[in-house]
Amino acid sequence: MNHLRQHLTHMAVAAVAVLVLLALAGVSWADALRWALLLACPVGMVAMMWFMGRGGRQHAPAVRPQEEREGSSAQDEGAPSVTR
């Protein structure tokens, strides 16, 4: 449910932003409202992807499974094996 609420919030913010920008550009309110409703979802999705991309740069790069196995096997060579 939280995901839906976030999506609706992004769409509402995008619709208001498009409406204000078009109104400031001199477009009539009726036409601006039509365009704002039409572009709310695409603009909101682009904004969400942009914000997610900015937050993703802080994470370490993913380790590929092969590199992970090679790294763990080199570390485990001296360790005793435990079997159950």
Side-chain angles (χ1 to χ4, degrees):
M1 189 65 165
N2 190 26
H3 179 71
L4 178 62
R5 184 173 289 144
Q6 285 179 328
H7 183 70
L8 291 174
T9 302
H10 286 130
M11 286 178 41
V13 169
V16 170
V18 170
L19 181 65
V20 168
L21 288 173
L22 289 174
L24 290 174
V27 177
S28 70
W29 280 101
D31 288 339
L33 182 61
R34 250 184 253 131
W35 279 106
L37 293 175
L38 180 68
L39 295 175
C41 190
V43 172
M45 291 299 290
V46 168
M48 182 179 65
M49 290 171 52
W50 183 73
F51 282 118
M52 288 176 65
R54 290 188 63 200
R57 291 184 188 148
Q58 297 171 358
H59 299 291
V63 177
R64 288 184 264 164
Q66 182 180 6
E67 292 174 354
E68 184 177 303
R69 279 181 290 188
E70 290 173 1
S72 64
S73 64
Q75 293 172 355
D76 294 340
E77 284 178 1
S81 62
V82 177
T83 58
R84 292 181 189 213

